[in-house]
Amino acid sequence: MESAKLDEYRQRIDHLDDQLLILLNERMEVVKQVGELKRTTNSIIYRPEREKAILDRLKGKSKGLLPDAAVDAIFLEIFAVSRNIELPERIAYLGPSGSFTHQAAESRFGAMSEYLPVSSIRAVFKSVAAEVTRFGVIPVENNQQGLVPETADCLAEYDIHIVAELPRDVHFAFVSQADHLSKVRKIYSKDIAFRQCRKFIDEVINDSTVELIPVESTSQAARLAVREPDSAAICSRIAAQEYQVPILFENVETSGDNQTRFFIISKSFTNQSSGADKTSVLVKLPHSDEPGILANFLQAFNKEGINLTKIESRPAKQGKTFTYWFFIDFEGHWNDENIQHIVQQYSREIKWLGSYVRLV
């Protein structure tokens, strides 16, 4: 009796799956027509603000067992497949495969997209700037350790635009082929990962003779650790599995709330306003070492009622003086009227990096 009931449930699931497949194929037929129309008008395929509007609408209508996170996960993958049917895209990311950046890229572009792993953050920017790839994915900041310096410097140097931000939880594993910690003589990881796992290194490793060796990415660290029996890596669980290096400890990050923000970048890309946007700019104020220069600039945002969500300085690297430029995030879209009031006042000083759907 129980077996018969189970068979009945399975048949119902099979029937529903058949219906889902029919509907998905119908959706893709419409997507294909949209792609053909966009190609004739040279329109952009990836529209984060449109995807957010769809997700918000669907989550508002969902009355069943699916939580919001499940709706996001299912439909983001459908969106990724749809984009590949409209127009396949290439995406550069900080590799090799299995890195946190790779995972962030796949969370938006799906498993079907063509990915180009490169060896550094700068290489991602170069790939996008040369249009070898349409998009790139790079880490921009960690909520425990702050801005990624190489990303900030490349944003200043390259003429690219930010397409979207991707916040991702980050959990590290300590991996090694050594069967005991005492046999580990060197640990590979990305510099910012070492900082995020400092407590584990100090309290568990606790050996000043162990060499900490920074590399370009945590997945590269895993690849190196599998080759050297006296080494270890701090990397993602996925990287450890991909390169088949044993996991000795999991979740070795100092904070359980560890999160990294990634950017999707492209050479020429402008998002339409979604009504819930964030804008990133670089500001190079003349005589930034003089009193009141920055305060006067920030007062313009206060006057226009614009909420600043981030401001961080970086060395301008001009001559021997201590001058700085500023990386600034604020709420709103670049085309908003109150933001344009500020742009008109400081058009020479502001470099617009992008306006995108606010997720953080």
Side-chain angles (χ1 to χ4, degrees):
M1 182 68 178
E2 183 177 333
S3 177
K5 195 68 175 176
L6 184 58
D7 286 341
E8 180 186 341
Y9 289 151
R10 286 172 173 168
Q11 288 174 12
R12 288 175 61 187
I13 289 174
D14 288 346
H15 176 67
L16 290 169
D17 286 344
D18 291 344
Q19 290 181 300
L20 285 172
L21 185 61
I22 292 170
L23 290 172
L24 285 171
N25 275 307
E26 287 182 11
R27 188 186 198 280
M28 296 310 160
E29 284 293 335
V30 178
V31 163
K32 183 180 178 181
Q33 294 171 24
V34 170
E36 291 170 353
L37 179 61
K38 285 183 176 180
R39 277 191 288 274
T40 61
T41 58
N42 200 28
S43 298
I44 295 170
I45 299 295
Y46 183 37
R47 304 288 350 176
E49 76 284 354
R50 166 65 176 156
E51 291 183 1
K52 180 181 184 300
I54 294 172
L55 290 173
D56 288 346
R57 178 178 63 82
L58 291 172
K59 287 182 287 190
K61 296 183 71 172
S62 180
K63 305 300 181 185
L65 297 177
L66 286 176
D68 286 354
V71 174
D72 284 341
I74 293 167
F75 279 89
L76 283 171
E77 189 64 31
I78 291 173
F79 297 158
V81 173
S82 300
R83 287 196 300 272
N84 274 277
I85 287 176
E86 287 185 73
L87 180 66
E89 302 283 12
R90 298 185 75 202
I91 302 101
Y93 68 90
L94 175 61
S97 62
S99 66
F100 289 108
T101 311
H102 186 197
Q103 295 170 51
E106 283 201 334
S107 75
R108 283 299 179 271
F109 293 100
M112 287 180 58
S113 293
E114 182 182 356
Y115 293 97
L116 177 65
V118 296
S119 60
S120 68
I121 290 172
R122 182 169 295 276
V124 177
F125 277 86
K126 286 182 178 179
S127 173
V128 172
E131 297 186 289
V132 174
T133 61
R134 180 67 185 275
F135 298 104
V137 181
I138 39 91
V140 61
E141 67 173 330
N142 176 264
N143 67 344
Q144 307 296 318
Q145 296 295 327
L147 200 64
V148 177
E150 186 178 2
T151 295
D153 291 342
C154 287
L155 286 169
E157 181 178 342
Y158 289 89
D159 185 20
I160 62 90
H161 291 147
I162 299 167
V163 174
E165 66 176 357
L166 305 174
R168 298 277 296 176
D169 291 337
V170 172
H171 302 289
F172 293 99
F174 182 84
V175 306
S176 177
Q177 297 214 79
D179 56 10
H180 196 278
L181 281 178
S182 62
K183 297 181 180 180
V184 173
R185 305 321 313 152
K186 49 191 171 185
I187 304 172
Y188 294 106
S189 197
K190 189 161 176 59
D191 50 2
I192 195 169
F194 282 131
R195 297 198 297 272
Q196 292 172 47
C197 302
R198 175 51 60 183
K199 185 176 180 181
F200 171 83
I201 294 169
D202 290 344
E203 295 181 358
V204 179
I205 305 302
N206 192 26
D207 186 344
S208 60
T209 65
V210 174
E211 186 179 6
L212 304 182
I213 304 176
V215 292
E216 290 293 347
S217 71
T218 54
S219 53
Q220 183 185 359
R223 191 164 63 178
L224 290 169
V226 78
R227 299 174 182 172
E228 304 173 20
D230 66 341
S231 69
I234 293 175
C235 62
S236 71
R237 180 181 180 86
I238 289 176
Q241 293 171 340
E242 178 154 345
Y243 296 103
Q244 298 183 339
V245 53
I247 297 174
L248 303 187
F249 299 93
E250 293 198 70
N251 300 327
V252 299
E253 63 277 1
T254 298
S255 172
D257 298 322
N258 197 35
Q259 193 172 80
T260 293
R261 181 165 70 129
F262 298 86
F263 278 158
I264 298 174
I265 58 174
S266 187
K267 185 172 183 179
S268 179
F269 197 100
T270 303
N271 282 312
Q272 299 173 3
S273 176
S274 72
D277 298 300
K278 183 189 290 183
T279 294
S280 294
V281 297
L282 290 176
V283 180
K284 298 184 178 182
L285 298 171
H287 314 295
S288 63
D289 55 337
E290 294 182 5
I293 296 295
L294 178 60
N296 290 337
F297 175 75
L298 297 180
Q299 185 59 36
F301 285 85
N302 183 56
K303 181 180 177 181
E304 295 292 341
I306 298 169
N307 182 38
L308 297 174
T309 60
K310 182 179 183 63
I311 177 168
E312 190 156 342
S313 64
R314 290 289 296 160
K317 300 179 182 179
Q318 297 174 342
K320 296 182 179 180
T321 59
F322 289 87
T323 55
Y324 302 88
W325 54 258
F326 302 93
F327 177 80
I328 297 177
D329 286 343
F330 53 85
E331 293 181 0
H333 192 280
W334 180 253
N335 293 330
D336 291 348
E337 185 177 354
N338 57 347
I339 292 172
Q340 281 299 305
H341 290 164
I342 299 173
V343 173
Q344 290 164 12
Q345 297 176 56
Y346 294 94
S347 59
R348 294 182 179 180
E349 291 82 12
I350 296 178
K351 177 185 178 181
W352 175 67
L353 298 176
S355 296
Y356 45 90
V357 174
R358 186 174 71 248
L359 297 180
V360 178

